[in-house]
Amino acid sequence: MRKKMVAANWKMNLLPAEAEELFNALLVQKEWPKDVQILVFPPAVYLQHFSQVKDDRISVGIQNFFPKEAGAYTGEISVTQAKSCGAEYALIGHSERRAYFGEHSDFLKTKVDAALEHDVHPIFCCGEPLDIREANQEKAFVKQQLIDSLFHLTREEILKTTIAYEPVWAIGTGKTASVAQAEDMHQSIRDWLTENYSIEIANQISILYGGSCSPENAAELFACPNVDGGLIGGASLNAEAFSNIIKAF
């Protein structure tokens, strides 16, 4: 049975008092569906504190880490350090990490392996930019991302992952991905999981939508057969908006 999941990616936002206020506003929510897994990915400097004050409805994760346990990597955070501060999940392959920091497929593969080695649950992000979508090459592009960085995993390992589809061309561009386009790609991802593993495994892996999900479109998106939740950016910085997305289930 696939988990329903809603994940808040706060990115590089919020000063300490603002982050505390937002997290506290989530902790007092009473109307979330009990079968939805709630994840919060705060800036790393807040991770340990939130892991200590959270309740059992919320899991916390790291937005980024370096795939070595220790060493001369100035400014980086290891997956073991993140786990020791309470990280249960890790975002890997987010479009902003790929675009702004040059994280390529081979490097992302090592991050997936490092997370699994230390029992941190990877949320692997994939998705196509505008030029690929306009060339009608989006499915080949996304499939290759999965082949290069995720589909080397064993059957047991892939079951410990979650996939998030980000239509990069529809994030902050003024363009909008339709619900039908989202479901079509999610169905394709599940088909590729079936091809590489089995239909039984494919039907146990959650696939999240990461393309400007909002309180206005969440219910329609979550009603799609292959959309198991959302990876939420901007809307997760507002407790009411984020809660309403969760309630959309």
Side-chain angles (χ1 to χ4, degrees):
M1 184 70 177
R2 305 193 306 260
K3 286 184 180 179
K4 299 174 182 177
M5 305 173 73
V6 181
N9 179 15
W10 290 1
K11 306 188 181 184
M12 195 179 72
N13 291 296
L14 306 175
L15 295 177
E18 297 168 325
E20 183 86 12
E21 181 180 6
L22 176 55
F23 199 74
N24 287 341
L26 297 178
L27 291 176
V28 300
Q29 295 296 318
K30 303 296 184 185
E31 300 177 358
W32 289 343
K34 293 183 179 179
D35 61 344
V36 179
Q37 175 69 57
I38 314 301
L39 314 176
V40 176
F41 292 88
V45 290
Y46 308 139
L47 177 61
Q48 184 169 23
H49 172 61
F50 290 160
S51 72
Q52 293 171 343
V53 302
K54 73 179 185 66
D55 61 29
D56 58 9
R57 301 174 302 165
I58 298 174
S59 297
V60 294
I62 191 83
Q63 295 179 21
N64 180 52
F65 66 89
F66 192 74
K68 295 286 186 181
E69 289 193 32
Y73 303 101
T74 300
E76 294 297 327
I77 298 169
S78 72
V79 67
T80 48
Q81 289 170 328
K83 184 177 180 180
S84 73
C85 290
E88 302 166 70
Y89 290 78
L91 293 179
I92 298 175
H94 192 280
S95 59
E96 291 159 3
R97 297 299 310 177
R98 295 176 189 264
Y100 303 151
F101 303 99
E103 296 195 358
H104 53 79
S105 295
D106 289 344
F107 182 64
L108 296 175
K109 182 178 179 180
T110 66
K111 292 178 79 169
V112 169
D113 292 344
L116 289 171
E117 181 182 354
H118 296 286
D119 296 318
V120 174
H121 185 118
I123 296 185
F124 183 80
C125 304
C126 55
E128 78 283 5
L130 182 59
D131 59 330
I132 297 297
R133 169 64 67 161
E134 290 182 337
N136 296 316
Q137 295 298 311
E138 65 273 9
K139 290 189 178 179
F141 185 89
V142 172
K143 184 177 184 180
Q144 195 62 51
Q145 288 181 321
L146 296 169
I147 290 171
D148 289 345
S149 304
L150 199 67
F151 284 175
H152 65 289
L153 298 177
T154 66
R155 293 166 63 93
E156 293 73 22
E157 289 170 336
I158 197 73
L159 285 170
K160 299 176 182 178
T161 71
T162 296
I163 297 172
Y165 168 59
E166 302 179 279
V168 183
W169 55 275
I171 303 173
T173 63
K175 296 182 180 292
T176 303
S178 69
V179 171
Q181 287 172 317
E183 168 60 17
D184 181 54
M185 184 62 81
H186 281 236
Q187 174 67 69
S188 294
I189 292 171
R190 205 165 309 279
D191 289 344
W192 301 328
L193 285 165
T194 300
E195 290 173 10
N196 284 271
Y197 297 97
S198 70
I199 191 168
E200 292 79 16
I201 285 177
N203 284 332
Q204 294 181 65
I205 295 176
S206 298
I207 306 174
L208 311 183
Y209 181 67
S212 299
C213 184
S214 70
E216 290 72 34
N217 63 14
E220 190 177 8
L221 282 164
F222 296 168
C224 294
N226 291 288
V227 178
D228 303 308
L231 175 60
I232 316 301
S236 72
L237 299 175
N238 180 290
E240 182 179 5
F242 184 64
S243 293
N244 285 336
I245 290 172
I246 297 167
K247 293 172 188 176
F249 270 112

